[in-house]
Amino acid sequence: MNRELWIDHLRSWKAFLNERISLTEDEGERIKCERQIKTIERVRCGAVLNPSLLSEFISPSTDESEETVCEKFYFDLNDSQKKAVRLSLGENNLSLIQGPPGTGKTQVIAEMCLQLLSMNPGLRILVCSETHVAVNNLLSRIAQYSKGIRIVRIRDKENDEAVDEFSPETIIDSYLEWASESIQNKDAYNIIEQEIKESISNDQRKKNQIEKALALSANIVGMTCNRVAAYDFRDRTEMFDVAIIDEVCKATLPEILSPLVISKKAVLLGDPKQLPPVFCSEEQEIIRSIQNCNLNRFMYIDSLFNECKKASVLDTQYRMSNQIGGMISDLFYDGSLKNGRNEDVEDGLSWITYEPSNDWPISTEELSDRPKIYNDDECRIVADLVKQIISEGNPNTTVAVIAPYRAQISFLRKVCIDSDRVKIDTVDGFQGKESDVVIFSVTRTKGSYRFLADDRRVNVALSRARDRIFIVGNREYSEKEPLLKTIMGNCRVIEWQ
């Protein structure tokens, strides 16, 4: 990569983060931005634990990597998955793996971790993602083979108990239980117990120290990219042997750099054909206010995947039926994505059109500074569809209701049946998740196609489905946009009365 472009990109990020700090009143947001600035400064000064890894990240080598021989595999992997694992185990500092929807990235990472630890049981592996869900899924998969593997899951402030057995609190409780049975001097035990519990509950600095100590004593540590920067890993003895970053194309550059600066080797997994980082309206305003800021125009990780000749590609998806998988492959992956599930589902692709009772969005909203984009007609249709699927279908069928606009999501949550089997969220909120049925509300009947013509956003929305997709959108409006028209051509079209 051009050195001047790299330096300019870091400068843009630092200016953006400083401005974000000056405008926010949220203490958590301020701390996050300060950590990211600290990471950027470490990179600018070369204060990283493995300079060769950073150099490879900035200017990837064109040399072919050698595949490491694996005597056995712990999971049932296809050929492209095995190749990705073998390449990631090689001597190269940086490995890239592109994982389209449903291609088993989590299983590949779990296999990678088990192979690394079989080669060297003393390794320290840092597993990160932009979201907590991805980290939890991965640790749960590894836990299937967790005998003798020390796992620590460090969370932020969320209360997810999915992998609570690996939390610092649970590990410390287990230690205190052992200590209570093993330490004969009860006064000594009481002092230890009191000191540890006070540190965890009251003193954030001491809590960070304990979490860091547990992280450095574990084989596998899971946390979000942002959380990594909360700990001061500086000495080479504190370096992680391998950093594995999942969903990397949805992470920002400062988030990606946080694990990279404290690791000897890194494996990055993502898909540049799915959602990139998304800037909210306030952040967009900051970007526009910074002279020559290129954050909107240039996502470094995308160029890294697109230009690097050594990236492995997982080529078989196991989530979607043949009808859905074939459409996703043709539309977004040049027909290269294979259907590993290999199952046909009758009427798996449906487009529901209707005659609008109004122009959506309504004119008063369009004139607003921050218009609320919603559509009462589609809310009614989607609510009826959800009720029909829940009442008539398999009692275990799950439904994802997706729309590109937050206002539409708010209205849909009010009118749709309340069920644990129904999840309603924006496209961004569903990345990395899946459901038996997806209902996508186009929402608009006039105006901008900005969100709706975005290949990456539409790819994520539709590729969440396992069995069936229902797209609810006015035909006259939708067929004027080439991508939507092509999708409609793959569906049976139903006139909703």
Side-chain angles (χ1 to χ4, degrees):
M1 179 185 182
N2 180 282
R3 178 180 173 82
E4 287 71 25
L5 180 59
W6 171 257
I7 294 173
D8 184 58
H9 198 50
L10 291 183
R11 179 201 62 78
S12 292
W13 270 112
K14 186 176 179 181
F16 168 81
L17 293 167
N18 276 320
E19 188 67 13
R20 191 83 177 94
I21 290 171
S22 71
L23 296 176
T24 186
E25 296 180 359
D26 186 315
E27 180 69 10
E29 181 68 16
R30 183 185 62 78
I31 291 173
K32 182 185 79 172
C33 291
E34 288 176 346
R35 290 172 180 169
Q36 293 185 357
I37 289 173
K38 186 177 178 180
T39 297
I40 288 173
E41 283 304 298
R42 286 189 66 168
V43 171
R44 283 164 58 94
C45 297
V48 300
L49 297 185
N50 183 9
S52 297
L53 173 57
L54 182 62
S55 296
E56 181 79 3
F57 181 72
I58 298 171
S59 299
S61 169
T62 57
D63 296 338
E64 289 293 326
S65 301
E66 291 188 9
E67 297 181 31
T68 297
V69 176
C70 297
E71 294 184 0
K72 68 170 185 176
F73 287 93
Y74 296 86
F75 294 96
D76 183 16
L77 304 182
N78 63 42
D79 289 343
S80 68
Q81 291 171 327
K82 289 178 180 178
K83 181 177 181 179
V85 170
R86 288 193 294 257
L87 284 171
S88 69
L89 299 177
E91 296 297 322
N92 43 307
N93 291 306
L94 181 69
S95 298
L96 301 178
I97 300 174
Q98 181 181 352
T103 52
K105 293 197 308 312
T106 300
Q107 191 145 300
V108 167
I109 297 173
E111 180 72 46
M112 198 185 308
C113 290
L114 295 171
Q115 292 287 348
L116 286 165
L117 291 172
S118 70
M119 295 162 59
N120 182 352
L123 285 181
R124 291 203 301 260
I125 303 172
L126 176 61
V127 176
C128 299
S129 181
E130 186 260 346
T131 64
H132 292 287
V133 172
V135 177
N136 290 344
N137 289 343
L138 175 60
L139 295 186
S140 296
R141 190 69 58 89
I142 295 173
Q144 297 176 25
Y145 294 87
S146 64
K147 296 177 182 178
I149 299 177
R150 299 185 303 280
I151 299 175
V152 175
R153 168 67 167 106
I154 298 177
R155 297 191 282 246
D156 293 335
K157 294 182 179 179
E158 90 280 13
N159 296 315
D160 185 0
E161 297 180 356
V163 289
D164 194 55
E165 62 184 299
F166 307 123
S167 69
E169 293 79 8
T170 301
I171 293 171
I172 287 172
D173 285 344
S174 298
Y175 165 74
L176 290 176
E177 183 179 344
W178 169 85
S180 175
E181 297 172 354
S182 304
I183 297 175
Q184 300 299 316
N185 187 325
K186 295 305 175 185
D187 290 335
Y189 168 76
N190 290 336
I191 292 172
I192 293 172
E193 180 187 38
Q194 182 178 355
E195 180 69 22
I196 290 176
K197 288 191 173 181
E198 285 183 358
S199 297
I200 290 178
S201 60
N202 299 324
D203 191 321
Q204 186 60 49
R205 184 180 63 83
K206 289 185 178 180
K207 184 177 181 181
N208 281 1
Q209 289 175 344
I210 290 175
E211 289 176 346
K212 179 180 176 181
L214 288 173
L216 292 174
S217 66
N219 295 123
I220 298 176
V221 182
M223 65 180 98
T224 60
C225 296
N226 275 319
R227 187 66 185 176
V228 174
Y231 308 99
D232 193 21
F233 296 105
R234 287 190 172 274
D235 191 279
R236 289 185 66 85
T237 61
E238 297 178 345
M239 178 188 290
F240 285 91
D241 296 287
V242 183
I244 301 173
I245 309 177
D246 192 14
E247 301 285 5
V248 71
C249 294
K250 198 168 185 257
T252 64
L253 183 65
E255 288 173 330
I256 298 167
L257 290 174
S258 293
L260 287 187
V261 300
I262 60 170
S263 303
K264 296 179 183 176
K265 173 185 174 75
V267 182
L268 311 183
L269 299 96
D271 183 8
K273 296 183 181 295
Q274 295 187 64
L275 281 176
V278 177
F279 294 105
C280 67
S281 56
E282 291 85 355
E283 291 170 332
Q284 294 280 7
E285 290 177 7
I286 293 173
I287 291 172
R288 287 192 290 269
S289 71
I290 300 172
Q291 186 176 9
N292 298 324
C293 184
N294 64 0
L295 299 189
N296 259 346
R297 303 187 305 276
F298 179 66
M299 288 295 174
Y300 175 69
I301 195 66
D302 286 357
S303 66
L304 185 66
F305 267 90
N306 292 329
E307 295 172 10
C308 182
K309 306 300 182 185
K310 300 190 299 179
S312 303
V313 180
L314 307 181
D315 64 10
T316 306
Q317 66 84 17
Y318 298 91
R319 173 187 301 159
M320 299 167 273
S321 67
N322 290 341
Q323 290 86 346
I324 299 172
M327 181 179 71
I328 296 296
S329 177
D330 291 341
L331 284 177
F332 307 113
Y333 298 95
D334 298 322
S336 63
L337 190 59
K338 304 173 187 175
N339 292 322
R341 175 179 161 185
N342 198 24
E343 182 178 348
D344 291 322
V345 175
E346 187 177 358
D347 295 331
L349 295 166
S350 300
W351 187 293
I352 296 175
T353 186
Y354 61 95
E355 189 64 33
S357 64
N358 204 336
D359 286 336
W360 307 102
I362 59 177
S363 56
T364 53
E365 287 293 346
E366 279 193 301
L367 297 173
S368 171
D369 290 338
R370 293 189 177 179
K372 294 179 180 178
I373 312 298
Y374 64 90
N375 181 325
D376 283 340
D377 294 332
E378 292 191 14
C379 285
R380 174 177 52 82
I381 295 170
V382 171
D384 288 347
L385 265 177
V386 170
K387 185 177 180 180
Q388 177 182 322
I389 293 167
I390 292 298
S391 62
E392 297 179 2
N394 184 309
N396 298 316
T397 296
T398 56
V399 181
V401 178
I402 305 176
Y405 306 102
R406 293 191 179 277
Q408 181 73 346
I409 292 299
S410 297
F411 278 86
L412 286 166
R413 285 173 175 162
K414 293 175 184 177
V415 300
C416 287
I417 186 173
D418 186 13
S419 170
D420 292 339
R421 294 159 53 193
V422 180
K423 305 297 181 186
I424 305 172
D425 210 339
T426 60
V427 181
D428 305 67
F430 271 109
Q431 179 151 324
K433 302 175 184 178
E434 60 183 40
S435 188
D436 295 319
V437 180
V438 162
I439 302 174
F440 181 72
S441 172
V442 172
T443 309
R444 282 183 175 272
T445 62
K446 66 174 181 177
S448 171
Y449 292 97
R450 183 166 66 92
F451 284 151
L452 300 165
D454 183 341
D455 285 12
R456 296 168 71 155
R457 191 171 298 277
V458 175
N459 181 17
V460 170
L462 302 185
S463 62
R464 304 307 95 201
R466 284 190 283 264
D467 300 327
R468 287 185 290 166
I469 294 174
F470 293 91
I471 301 172
V472 180
N474 173 251
R475 181 173 191 165
E476 184 179 353
Y477 170 79
S478 301
E479 65 183 4
K480 293 176 184 176
E481 203 295 309
L483 177 58
L484 296 181
K485 184 176 181 180
T486 301
I487 293 170
M488 194 185 302
N490 283 274
C491 301
R492 60 167 184 155
V493 179
I494 302 169
E495 294 277 352
W496 190 270
Q497 302 299 324

